[in-house]
PDB file of all heavy atoms in Angstrom:
ATOM      1  N   ASN A  18      -5.270   7.172   8.626  1.00 96.00           N
ATOM      2  CA  ASN A  18      -5.243   8.359   9.503  1.00 96.00           C
ATOM      3  C   ASN A  18      -5.434   7.976  10.971  1.00 96.00           C
ATOM      4  O   ASN A  18      -6.157   8.617  11.733  1.00 96.00           O
ATOM      5  CB  ASN A  18      -6.319   9.355   9.085  1.00 96.00           C
ATOM      6  CG  ASN A  18      -6.125   9.842   7.648  1.00 96.00           C
ATOM      7  OD1 ASN A  18      -4.985   9.971   7.185  1.00 96.00           O
ATOM      8  ND2 ASN A  18      -7.205  10.104   6.952  1.00 96.00           N
ATOM      9  N   GLY A  19      -4.770   6.872  11.363  1.00 95.00           N
ATOM     10  CA  GLY A  19      -4.779   6.435  12.754  1.00 95.00           C
ATOM     11  C   GLY A  19      -5.951   5.571  13.158  1.00 95.00           C
ATOM     12  O   GLY A  19      -6.005   5.066  14.291  1.00 95.00           O
ATOM     13  N   LYS A  20      -6.913   5.334  12.237  1.00 96.00           N
ATOM     14  CA  LYS A  20      -8.096   4.540  12.548  1.00 96.00           C
ATOM     15  C   LYS A  20      -8.032   3.195  11.829  1.00 96.00           C
ATOM     16  O   LYS A  20      -7.808   3.133  10.619  1.00 96.00           O
ATOM     17  CB  LYS A  20      -9.348   5.300  12.111  1.00 96.00           C
ATOM     18  CG  LYS A  20     -10.646   4.526  12.299  1.00 96.00           C
ATOM     19  CD  LYS A  20     -11.812   5.304  11.715  1.00 96.00           C
ATOM     20  CE  LYS A  20     -13.108   4.497  11.780  1.00 96.00           C
ATOM     21  NZ  LYS A  20     -14.238   5.223  11.140  1.00 96.00           N
ATOM     22  N   THR A  21      -8.233   2.113  12.590  1.00 97.00           N
ATOM     23  CA  THR A  21      -8.225   0.773  11.996  1.00 97.00           C
ATOM     24  C   THR A  21      -9.433   0.613  11.079  1.00 97.00           C
ATOM     25  O   THR A  21     -10.565   0.920  11.455  1.00 97.00           O
ATOM     26  CB  THR A  21      -8.277  -0.316  13.085  1.00 97.00           C
ATOM     27  OG1 THR A  21      -7.116  -0.196  13.910  1.00 97.00           O
ATOM     28  CG2 THR A  21      -8.298  -1.708  12.463  1.00 97.00           C
ATOM     29  N   VAL A  22      -9.168   0.145   9.859  1.00 96.00           N
ATOM     30  CA  VAL A  22     -10.229  -0.045   8.873  1.00 96.00           C
ATOM     31  C   VAL A  22     -10.289  -1.530   8.490  1.00 96.00           C
ATOM     32  O   VAL A  22      -9.274  -2.134   8.137  1.00 96.00           O
ATOM     33  CB  VAL A  22      -9.968   0.797   7.605  1.00 96.00           C
ATOM     34  CG1 VAL A  22     -11.006   0.483   6.531  1.00 96.00           C
ATOM     35  CG2 VAL A  22     -10.002   2.278   7.944  1.00 96.00           C
ATOM     36  N   THR A  23     -11.469  -2.120   8.564  1.00 96.00           N
ATOM     37  CA  THR A  23     -11.657  -3.521   8.178  1.00 96.00           C
ATOM     38  C   THR A  23     -12.652  -3.672   7.035  1.00 96.00           C
ATOM     39  O   THR A  23     -12.974  -4.779   6.618  1.00 96.00           O
ATOM     40  CB  THR A  23     -12.156  -4.354   9.382  1.00 96.00           C
ATOM     41  OG1 THR A  23     -13.360  -3.780   9.886  1.00 96.00           O
ATOM     42  CG2 THR A  23     -11.102  -4.392  10.484  1.00 96.00           C
ATOM     43  N   GLU A  24     -13.135  -2.551   6.510  1.00 94.00           N
ATOM     44  CA  GLU A  24     -14.122  -2.548   5.429  1.00 94.00           C
ATOM     45  C   GLU A  24     -13.414  -2.527   4.077  1.00 94.00           C
ATOM     46  O   GLU A  24     -12.652  -1.595   3.763  1.00 94.00           O
ATOM     47  CB  GLU A  24     -15.017  -1.312   5.564  1.00 94.00           C
ATOM     48  CG  GLU A  24     -16.064  -1.183   4.465  1.00 94.00           C
ATOM     49  CD  GLU A  24     -16.774   0.164   4.513  1.00 94.00           C
ATOM     50  OE1 GLU A  24     -16.663   0.867   5.542  1.00 94.00           O
ATOM     51  OE2 GLU A  24     -17.417   0.514   3.503  1.00 94.00           O
ATOM     52  N   LEU A  25     -13.673  -3.553   3.239  1.00 92.00           N
ATOM     53  CA  LEU A  25     -12.981  -3.671   1.961  1.00 92.00           C
ATOM     54  C   LEU A  25     -13.356  -2.566   0.980  1.00 92.00           C
ATOM     55  O   LEU A  25     -12.569  -2.213   0.114  1.00 92.00           O
ATOM     56  CB  LEU A  25     -13.262  -5.041   1.332  1.00 92.00           C
ATOM     57  CG  LEU A  25     -12.687  -6.248   2.080  1.00 92.00           C
ATOM     58  CD1 LEU A  25     -12.994  -7.526   1.309  1.00 92.00           C
ATOM     59  CD2 LEU A  25     -11.174  -6.104   2.270  1.00 92.00           C
ATOM     60  N   GLY A  26     -14.552  -2.016   1.094  1.00 87.00           N
ATOM     61  CA  GLY A  26     -14.972  -0.970   0.172  1.00 87.00           C
ATOM     62  C   GLY A  26     -14.573   0.431   0.608  1.00 87.00           C
ATOM     63  O   GLY A  26     -14.920   1.416  -0.046  1.00 87.00           O
ATOM     64  N   TYR A  27     -13.818   0.541   1.695  1.00 95.00           N
ATOM     65  CA  TYR A  27     -13.432   1.849   2.238  1.00 95.00           C
ATOM     66  C   TYR A  27     -12.589   2.610   1.212  1.00 95.00           C
ATOM     67  O   TYR A  27     -11.662   2.061   0.620  1.00 95.00           O
ATOM     68  CB  TYR A  27     -12.636   1.660   3.526  1.00 95.00           C
ATOM     69  CG  TYR A  27     -12.416   2.925   4.317  1.00 95.00           C
ATOM     70  CD1 TYR A  27     -13.338   3.336   5.272  1.00 95.00           C
ATOM     71  CD2 TYR A  27     -11.274   3.705   4.118  1.00 95.00           C
ATOM     72  CE1 TYR A  27     -13.136   4.505   6.005  1.00 95.00           C
ATOM     73  CE2 TYR A  27     -11.062   4.865   4.836  1.00 95.00           C
ATOM     74  CZ  TYR A  27     -11.991   5.258   5.777  1.00 95.00           C
ATOM     75  OH  TYR A  27     -11.788   6.413   6.501  1.00 95.00           O
ATOM     76  N   LYS A  28     -12.933   3.888   1.010  1.00 95.00           N
ATOM     77  CA  LYS A  28     -12.218   4.690   0.023  1.00 95.00           C
ATOM     78  C   LYS A  28     -11.317   5.722   0.683  1.00 95.00           C
ATOM     79  O   LYS A  28     -11.652   6.283   1.724  1.00 95.00           O
ATOM     80  CB  LYS A  28     -13.197   5.367  -0.928  1.00 95.00           C
ATOM     81  CG  LYS A  28     -13.933   4.384  -1.826  1.00 95.00           C
ATOM     82  CD  LYS A  28     -14.753   5.092  -2.889  1.00 95.00           C
ATOM     83  CE  LYS A  28     -15.392   4.084  -3.825  1.00 95.00           C
ATOM     84  NZ  LYS A  28     -16.170   4.744  -4.906  1.00 95.00           N
ATOM     85  N   VAL A  29     -10.162   5.933   0.059  1.00 94.00           N
ATOM     86  CA  VAL A  29      -9.173   6.867   0.604  1.00 94.00           C
ATOM     87  C   VAL A  29      -8.815   7.917  -0.442  1.00 94.00           C
ATOM     88  O   VAL A  29      -9.002   7.723  -1.637  1.00 94.00           O
ATOM     89  CB  VAL A  29      -7.895   6.128   1.054  1.00 94.00           C
ATOM     90  CG1 VAL A  29      -8.181   5.207   2.220  1.00 94.00           C
ATOM     91  CG2 VAL A  29      -7.288   5.337  -0.112  1.00 94.00           C
ATOM     92  N   GLU A  30      -8.286   9.048   0.052  1.00 91.00           N
ATOM     93  CA  GLU A  30      -7.813  10.117  -0.821  1.00 91.00           C
ATOM     94  C   GLU A  30      -6.288  10.081  -0.847  1.00 91.00           C
ATOM     95  O   GLU A  30      -5.648   9.426  -0.014  1.00 91.00           O
ATOM     96  CB  GLU A  30      -8.305  11.475  -0.313  1.00 91.00           C
ATOM     97  CG  GLU A  30      -9.813  11.615  -0.294  1.00 91.00           C
ATOM     98  CD  GLU A  30     -10.252  12.970   0.239  1.00 91.00           C
ATOM     99  OE1 GLU A  30      -9.386  13.738   0.694  1.00 91.00           O
ATOM    100  OE2 GLU A  30     -11.463  13.257   0.193  1.00 91.00           O
ATOM    101  N   SER A  31      -5.707  10.794  -1.795  1.00 83.00           N
ATOM    102  CA  SER A  31      -4.250  10.787  -1.952  1.00 83.00           C
ATOM    103  C   SER A  31      -3.523  11.315  -0.717  1.00 83.00           C
ATOM    104  O   SER A  31      -2.402  10.905  -0.417  1.00 83.00           O
ATOM    105  CB  SER A  31      -3.854  11.607  -3.179  1.00 83.00           C
ATOM    106  OG  SER A  31      -4.327  12.942  -3.055  1.00 83.00           O
ATOM    107  N   LYS A  32      -4.176  12.234   0.029  1.00 89.00           N
ATOM    108  CA  LYS A  32      -3.535  12.833   1.205  1.00 89.00           C
ATOM    109  C   LYS A  32      -3.604  11.939   2.442  1.00 89.00           C
ATOM    110  O   LYS A  32      -2.918  12.193   3.440  1.00 89.00           O
ATOM    111  CB  LYS A  32      -4.182  14.177   1.519  1.00 89.00           C
ATOM    112  CG  LYS A  32      -5.650  14.075   1.905  1.00 89.00           C
ATOM    113  CD  LYS A  32      -6.248  15.445   2.178  1.00 89.00           C
ATOM    114  CE  LYS A  32      -7.722  15.319   2.580  1.00 89.00           C
ATOM    115  NZ  LYS A  32      -8.325  16.650   2.851  1.00 89.00           N
ATOM    116  N   ASP A  33      -4.448  10.900   2.419  1.00 92.00           N
ATOM    117  CA  ASP A  33      -4.607  10.035   3.597  1.00 92.00           C
ATOM    118  C   ASP A  33      -3.337   9.256   3.907  1.00 92.00           C
ATOM    119  O   ASP A  33      -2.641   8.782   2.991  1.00 92.00           O
ATOM    120  CB  ASP A  33      -5.758   9.048   3.379  1.00 92.00           C
ATOM    121  CG  ASP A  33      -7.113   9.721   3.394  1.00 92.00           C
ATOM    122  OD1 ASP A  33      -7.235  10.774   4.058  1.00 92.00           O
ATOM    123  OD2 ASP A  33      -8.039   9.212   2.748  1.00 92.00           O
ATOM    124  N   GLU A  34      -3.038   9.111   5.211  1.00 93.00           N
ATOM    125  CA  GLU A  34      -1.895   8.310   5.645  1.00 93.00           C
ATOM    126  C   GLU A  34      -2.366   6.901   5.969  1.00 93.00           C
ATOM    127  O   GLU A  34      -3.322   6.704   6.721  1.00 93.00           O
ATOM    128  CB  GLU A  34      -1.232   8.934   6.883  1.00 93.00           C
ATOM    129  CG  GLU A  34      -0.394  10.159   6.582  1.00 93.00           C
ATOM    130  CD  GLU A  34       0.507  10.540   7.751  1.00 93.00           C
ATOM    131  OE1 GLU A  34       0.348   9.949   8.846  1.00 93.00           O
ATOM    132  OE2 GLU A  34       1.357  11.416   7.571  1.00 93.00           O
ATOM    133  N   ILE A  35      -1.694   5.935   5.391  1.00 95.00           N
ATOM    134  CA  ILE A  35      -2.057   4.533   5.585  1.00 95.00           C
ATOM    135  C   ILE A  35      -0.910   3.814   6.282  1.00 95.00           C
ATOM    136  O   ILE A  35       0.249   3.912   5.851  1.00 95.00           O
ATOM    137  CB  ILE A  35      -2.364   3.857   4.227  1.00 95.00           C
ATOM    138  CG1 ILE A  35      -3.526   4.576   3.541  1.00 95.00           C
ATOM    139  CG2 ILE A  35      -2.680   2.371   4.417  1.00 95.00           C
ATOM    140  CD1 ILE A  35      -3.716   4.182   2.096  1.00 95.00           C
ATOM    141  N   HIS A  36      -1.223   3.122   7.348  1.00 95.00           N
ATOM    142  CA  HIS A  36      -0.226   2.323   8.063  1.00 95.00           C
ATOM    143  C   HIS A  36      -0.613   0.846   8.004  1.00 95.00           C
ATOM    144  O   HIS A  36      -1.787   0.509   8.169  1.00 95.00           O
ATOM    145  CB  HIS A  36      -0.118   2.753   9.531  1.00 95.00           C
ATOM    146  CG  HIS A  36       0.596   4.051   9.737  1.00 95.00           C
ATOM    147  ND1 HIS A  36      -0.006   5.272   9.497  1.00 95.00           N
ATOM    148  CD2 HIS A  36       1.858   4.314  10.171  1.00 95.00           C
ATOM    149  CE1 HIS A  36       0.851   6.247   9.753  1.00 95.00           C
ATOM    150  NE2 HIS A  36       1.983   5.703  10.168  1.00 95.00           N
ATOM    151  N   ILE A  37       0.364  -0.005   7.756  1.00 95.00           N
ATOM    152  CA  ILE A  37       0.164  -1.449   7.805  1.00 95.00           C
ATOM    153  C   ILE A  37       1.092  -1.994   8.886  1.00 95.00           C
ATOM    154  O   ILE A  37       2.316  -1.818   8.804  1.00 95.00           O
ATOM    155  CB  ILE A  37       0.474  -2.112   6.454  1.00 95.00           C
ATOM    156  CG1 ILE A  37      -0.444  -1.536   5.361  1.00 95.00           C
ATOM    157  CG2 ILE A  37       0.304  -3.635   6.550  1.00 95.00           C
ATOM    158  CD1 ILE A  37      -0.150  -2.048   3.976  1.00 95.00           C
ATOM    159  N   ASP A  38       0.512  -2.627   9.889  1.00 95.00           N
ATOM    160  CA  ASP A  38       1.290  -3.101  11.038  1.00 95.00           C
ATOM    161  C   ASP A  38       2.128  -1.966  11.618  1.00 95.00           C
ATOM    162  O   ASP A  38       3.323  -2.135  11.918  1.00 95.00           O
ATOM    163  CB  ASP A  38       2.179  -4.288  10.643  1.00 95.00           C
ATOM    164  CG  ASP A  38       1.363  -5.511  10.255  1.00 95.00           C
ATOM    165  OD1 ASP A  38       0.242  -5.664  10.768  1.00 95.00           O
ATOM    166  OD2 ASP A  38       1.844  -6.307   9.426  1.00 95.00           O
ATOM    167  N   GLU A  39       1.502  -0.793  11.710  1.00 93.00           N
ATOM    168  CA  GLU A  39       2.105   0.417  12.297  1.00 93.00           C
ATOM    169  C   GLU A  39       3.222   1.027  11.451  1.00 93.00           C
ATOM    170  O   GLU A  39       3.923   1.942  11.885  1.00 93.00           O
ATOM    171  CB  GLU A  39       2.638   0.128  13.719  1.00 93.00           C
ATOM    172  CG  GLU A  39       1.613  -0.485  14.652  1.00 93.00           C
ATOM    173  CD  GLU A  39       0.372   0.376  14.824  1.00 93.00           C
ATOM    174  OE1 GLU A  39       0.469   1.610  14.733  1.00 93.00           O
ATOM    175  OE2 GLU A  39      -0.716  -0.203  15.073  1.00 93.00           O
ATOM    176  N   VAL A  40       3.417   0.527  10.235  1.00 90.00           N
ATOM    177  CA  VAL A  40       4.451   1.076   9.338  1.00 90.00           C
ATOM    178  C   VAL A  40       3.775   1.883   8.245  1.00 90.00           C
ATOM    179  O   VAL A  40       2.842   1.400   7.588  1.00 90.00           O
ATOM    180  CB  VAL A  40       5.305  -0.050   8.714  1.00 90.00           C
ATOM    181  CG1 VAL A  40       6.327   0.537   7.742  1.00 90.00           C
ATOM    182  CG2 VAL A  40       6.005  -0.861   9.796  1.00 90.00           C
ATOM    183  N   LEU A  41       4.233   3.118   8.035  1.00 91.00           N
ATOM    184  CA  LEU A  41       3.634   4.004   7.042  1.00 91.00           C
ATOM    185  C   LEU A  41       3.839   3.453   5.633  1.00 91.00           C
ATOM    186  O   LEU A  41       4.939   3.069   5.255  1.00 91.00           O
ATOM    187  CB  LEU A  41       4.263   5.399   7.138  1.00 91.00           C
ATOM    188  CG  LEU A  41       3.754   6.451   6.135  1.00 91.00           C
ATOM    189  CD1 LEU A  41       2.264   6.754   6.373  1.00 91.00           C
ATOM    190  CD2 LEU A  41       4.588   7.729   6.235  1.00 91.00           C
ATOM    191  N   LEU A  42       2.756   3.427   4.889  1.00 88.00           N
ATOM    192  CA  LEU A  42       2.795   2.957   3.508  1.00 88.00           C
ATOM    193  C   LEU A  42       3.333   4.063   2.605  1.00 88.00           C
ATOM    194  O   LEU A  42       2.822   5.171   2.580  1.00 88.00           O
ATOM    195  CB  LEU A  42       1.389   2.559   3.055  1.00 88.00           C
ATOM    196  CG  LEU A  42       1.265   1.971   1.652  1.00 88.00           C
ATOM    197  CD1 LEU A  42       1.852   0.574   1.607  1.00 88.00           C
ATOM    198  CD2 LEU A  42      -0.203   1.943   1.235  1.00 88.00           C
ATOM    199  N   GLU A  43       4.362   3.752   1.865  1.00 79.00           N
ATOM    200  CA  GLU A  43       4.950   4.716   0.934  1.00 79.00           C
ATOM    201  C   GLU A  43       4.960   4.126  -0.458  1.00 79.00           C
ATOM    202  O   GLU A  43       5.132   2.915  -0.639  1.00 79.00           O
ATOM    203  CB  GLU A  43       6.382   5.074   1.365  1.00 79.00           C
ATOM    204  CG  GLU A  43       6.450   5.792   2.713  1.00 79.00           C
ATOM    205  CD  GLU A  43       7.886   6.107   3.090  1.00 79.00           C
ATOM    206  OE1 GLU A  43       8.796   5.678   2.374  1.00 79.00           O
ATOM    207  OE2 GLU A  43       8.080   6.785   4.115  1.00 79.00           O
ATOM    208  N   LYS A  44       4.770   4.991  -1.439  1.00 74.00           N
ATOM    209  CA  LYS A  44       4.776   4.515  -2.817  1.00 74.00           C
ATOM    210  C   LYS A  44       6.193   4.190  -3.260  1.00 74.00           C
ATOM    211  O   LYS A  44       7.142   4.897  -2.956  1.00 74.00           O
ATOM    212  CB  LYS A  44       4.153   5.550  -3.752  1.00 74.00           C
ATOM    213  CG  LYS A  44       2.646   5.656  -3.616  1.00 74.00           C
ATOM    214  CD  LYS A  44       2.043   6.369  -4.802  1.00 74.00           C
ATOM    215  CE  LYS A  44       0.528   6.297  -4.758  1.00 74.00           C
ATOM    216  NZ  LYS A  44      -0.096   6.896  -5.958  1.00 74.00           N
ATOM    217  N   GLU A  45       6.303   3.090  -3.998  1.00 75.00           N
ATOM    218  CA  GLU A  45       7.593   2.680  -4.540  1.00 75.00           C
ATOM    219  C   GLU A  45       7.574   2.800  -6.056  1.00 75.00           C
ATOM    220  O   GLU A  45       6.500   2.783  -6.679  1.00 75.00           O
ATOM    221  CB  GLU A  45       7.891   1.212  -4.172  1.00 75.00           C
ATOM    222  CG  GLU A  45       8.018   0.946  -2.689  1.00 75.00           C
ATOM    223  CD  GLU A  45       8.271  -0.532  -2.405  1.00 75.00           C
ATOM    224  OE1 GLU A  45       7.732  -1.371  -3.130  1.00 75.00           O
ATOM    225  OE2 GLU A  45       9.001  -0.825  -1.454  1.00 75.00           O
ATOM    226  N   ASN A  46       8.752   2.914  -6.632  1.00 82.00           N
ATOM    227  CA  ASN A  46       8.830   2.865  -8.083  1.00 82.00           C
ATOM    228  C   ASN A  46       8.439   1.469  -8.543  1.00 82.00           C
ATOM    229  O   ASN A  46       8.831   0.473  -7.937  1.00 82.00           O
ATOM    230  CB  ASN A  46      10.263   3.175  -8.552  1.00 82.00           C
ATOM    231  CG  ASN A  46      10.644   4.615  -8.291  1.00 82.00           C
ATOM    232  OD1 ASN A  46       9.807   5.509  -8.381  1.00 82.00           O
ATOM    233  ND2 ASN A  46      11.907   4.834  -7.962  1.00 82.00           N
ATOM    234  N   LYS A  47       7.665   1.396  -9.619  1.00 88.00           N
ATOM    235  CA  LYS A  47       7.225   0.104 -10.121  1.00 88.00           C
ATOM    236  C   LYS A  47       8.368  -0.578 -10.867  1.00 88.00           C
ATOM    237  O   LYS A  47       9.061   0.043 -11.675  1.00 88.00           O
ATOM    238  CB  LYS A  47       6.036   0.288 -11.073  1.00 88.00           C
ATOM    239  CG  LYS A  47       4.849   1.008 -10.442  1.00 88.00           C
ATOM    240  CD  LYS A  47       4.163   0.153  -9.405  1.00 88.00           C
ATOM    241  CE  LYS A  47       3.015   0.897  -8.740  1.00 88.00           C
ATOM    242  NZ  LYS A  47       1.955   1.307  -9.669  1.00 88.00           N
ATOM    243  N   VAL A  48       8.553  -1.869 -10.572  1.00 94.00           N
ATOM    244  CA  VAL A  48       9.591  -2.651 -11.241  1.00 94.00           C
ATOM    245  C   VAL A  48       8.977  -3.944 -11.750  1.00 94.00           C
ATOM    246  O   VAL A  48       8.032  -4.481 -11.167  1.00 94.00           O
ATOM    247  CB  VAL A  48      10.783  -2.964 -10.301  1.00 94.00           C
ATOM    248  CG1 VAL A  48      11.561  -1.713  -9.974  1.00 94.00           C
ATOM    249  CG2 VAL A  48      10.314  -3.666  -9.034  1.00 94.00           C
ATOM    250  N   TYR A  49       9.555  -4.465 -12.841  1.00 96.00           N
ATOM    251  CA  TYR A  49       9.040  -5.676 -13.475  1.00 96.00           C
ATOM    252  C   TYR A  49      10.232  -6.509 -13.949  1.00 96.00           C
ATOM    253  O   TYR A  49      11.001  -6.072 -14.808  1.00 96.00           O
ATOM    254  CB  TYR A  49       8.148  -5.329 -14.672  1.00 96.00           C
ATOM    255  CG  TYR A  49       7.099  -4.290 -14.362  1.00 96.00           C
ATOM    256  CD1 TYR A  49       7.412  -2.917 -14.440  1.00 96.00           C
ATOM    257  CD2 TYR A  49       5.809  -4.645 -13.985  1.00 96.00           C
ATOM    258  CE1 TYR A  49       6.466  -1.950 -14.150  1.00 96.00           C
ATOM    259  CE2 TYR A  49       4.859  -3.675 -13.689  1.00 96.00           C
ATOM    260  CZ  TYR A  49       5.190  -2.339 -13.775  1.00 96.00           C
ATOM    261  OH  TYR A  49       4.257  -1.376 -13.490  1.00 96.00           O
ATOM    262  N   PHE A  50      10.362  -7.707 -13.393  1.00 98.00           N
ATOM    263  CA  PHE A  50      11.471  -8.591 -13.744  1.00 98.00           C
ATOM    264  C   PHE A  50      10.940  -9.847 -14.425  1.00 98.00           C
ATOM    265  O   PHE A  50       9.916 -10.404 -14.009  1.00 98.00           O
ATOM    266  CB  PHE A  50      12.255  -9.011 -12.496  1.00 98.00           C
ATOM    267  CG  PHE A  50      12.875  -7.875 -11.735  1.00 98.00           C
ATOM    268  CD1 PHE A  50      12.288  -7.401 -10.571  1.00 98.00           C
ATOM    269  CD2 PHE A  50      14.054  -7.286 -12.170  1.00 98.00           C
ATOM    270  CE1 PHE A  50      12.858  -6.357  -9.851  1.00 98.00           C
ATOM    271  CE2 PHE A  50      14.632  -6.238 -11.465  1.00 98.00           C
ATOM    272  CZ  PHE A  50      14.028  -5.774 -10.306  1.00 98.00           C
ATOM    273  N   LEU A  51      11.657 -10.298 -15.454  1.00 98.00           N
ATOM    274  CA  LEU A  51      11.334 -11.555 -16.125  1.00 98.00           C
ATOM    275  C   LEU A  51      12.442 -12.543 -15.785  1.00 98.00           C
ATOM    276  O   LEU A  51      13.607 -12.337 -16.124  1.00 98.00           O
ATOM    277  CB  LEU A  51      11.263 -11.344 -17.639  1.00 98.00           C
ATOM    278  CG  LEU A  51      10.841 -12.568 -18.460  1.00 98.00           C
ATOM    279  CD1 LEU A  51       9.392 -12.946 -18.144  1.00 98.00           C
ATOM    280  CD2 LEU A  51      11.007 -12.298 -19.954  1.00 98.00           C
ATOM    281  N   LEU A  52      12.080 -13.629 -15.105  1.00 98.00           N
ATOM    282  CA  LEU A  52      13.053 -14.600 -14.578  1.00 98.00           C
ATOM    283  C   LEU A  52      12.862 -15.961 -15.216  1.00 98.00           C
ATOM    284  O   LEU A  52      11.743 -16.403 -15.452  1.00 98.00           O
ATOM    285  CB  LEU A  52      12.871 -14.718 -13.069  1.00 98.00           C
ATOM    286  CG  LEU A  52      13.600 -15.869 -12.348  1.00 98.00           C
ATOM    287  CD1 LEU A  52      15.092 -15.602 -12.265  1.00 98.00           C
ATOM    288  CD2 LEU A  52      13.014 -16.081 -10.950  1.00 98.00           C
ATOM    289  N   ASN A  53      13.977 -16.633 -15.480  1.00 98.00           N
ATOM    290  CA  ASN A  53      13.955 -18.040 -15.896  1.00 98.00           C
ATOM    291  C   ASN A  53      14.137 -18.877 -14.631  1.00 98.00           C
ATOM    292  O   ASN A  53      15.253 -19.088 -14.168  1.00 98.00           O
ATOM    293  CB  ASN A  53      15.063 -18.326 -16.903  1.00 98.00           C
ATOM    294  CG  ASN A  53      15.004 -19.758 -17.434  1.00 98.00           C
ATOM    295  OD1 ASN A  53      14.210 -20.585 -16.978  1.00 98.00           O
ATOM    296  ND2 ASN A  53      15.870 -20.066 -18.400  1.00 98.00           N
ATOM    297  N   LYS A  54      13.035 -19.313 -14.062  1.00 98.00           N
ATOM    298  CA  LYS A  54      13.059 -20.027 -12.785  1.00 98.00           C
ATOM    299  C   LYS A  54      13.706 -21.407 -12.914  1.00 98.00           C
ATOM    300  O   LYS A  54      13.344 -22.188 -13.784  1.00 98.00           O
ATOM    301  CB  LYS A  54      11.637 -20.183 -12.254  1.00 98.00           C
ATOM    302  CG  LYS A  54      11.537 -21.002 -10.969  1.00 98.00           C
ATOM    303  CD  LYS A  54      10.096 -21.330 -10.642  1.00 98.00           C
ATOM    304  CE  LYS A  54       9.946 -22.340  -9.538  1.00 98.00           C
ATOM    305  NZ  LYS A  54      10.523 -23.649  -9.813  1.00 98.00           N
ATOM    306  N   PRO A  55      14.631 -21.721 -12.002  1.00 98.00           N
ATOM    307  CA  PRO A  55      15.223 -23.070 -11.984  1.00 98.00           C
ATOM    308  C   PRO A  55      14.363 -24.025 -11.152  1.00 98.00           C
ATOM    309  O   PRO A  55      13.371 -23.612 -10.531  1.00 98.00           O
ATOM    310  CB  PRO A  55      16.575 -22.836 -11.320  1.00 98.00           C
ATOM    311  CG  PRO A  55      16.314 -21.697 -10.375  1.00 98.00           C
ATOM    312  CD  PRO A  55      15.296 -20.819 -11.055  1.00 98.00           C
TER     313      PRO A  55
END
């Protein structure tokens, strides 16, 4: 919500806006890939 937070135990609610490097954090669909690494 516009305030820099450095406390690891800080708790947030679902309505809170979170920015990382000034970019708004948005939820993504979860994906899971199984790869045969070369």
Side-chain angles (χ1 to χ4, degrees):
N18 300 327
K20 176 186 175 183
T21 298
V22 174
T23 57
E24 179 189 345
L25 293 182
Y27 192 89
K28 293 188 176 182
V29 294
E30 298 179 354
S31 58
K32 64 181 181 180
D33 290 332
E34 285 194 351
I35 300 168
H36 286 77
I37 300 176
D38 295 331
E39 306 302 330
V40 177
L41 179 64
L42 183 72
E43 296 179 354
K44 287 196 172 184
E45 297 178 325
N46 292 325
K47 303 290 178 61
V48 291
Y49 311 85
F50 299 102
L51 184 66
L52 169 73
N53 184 354
K54 176 190 170 298

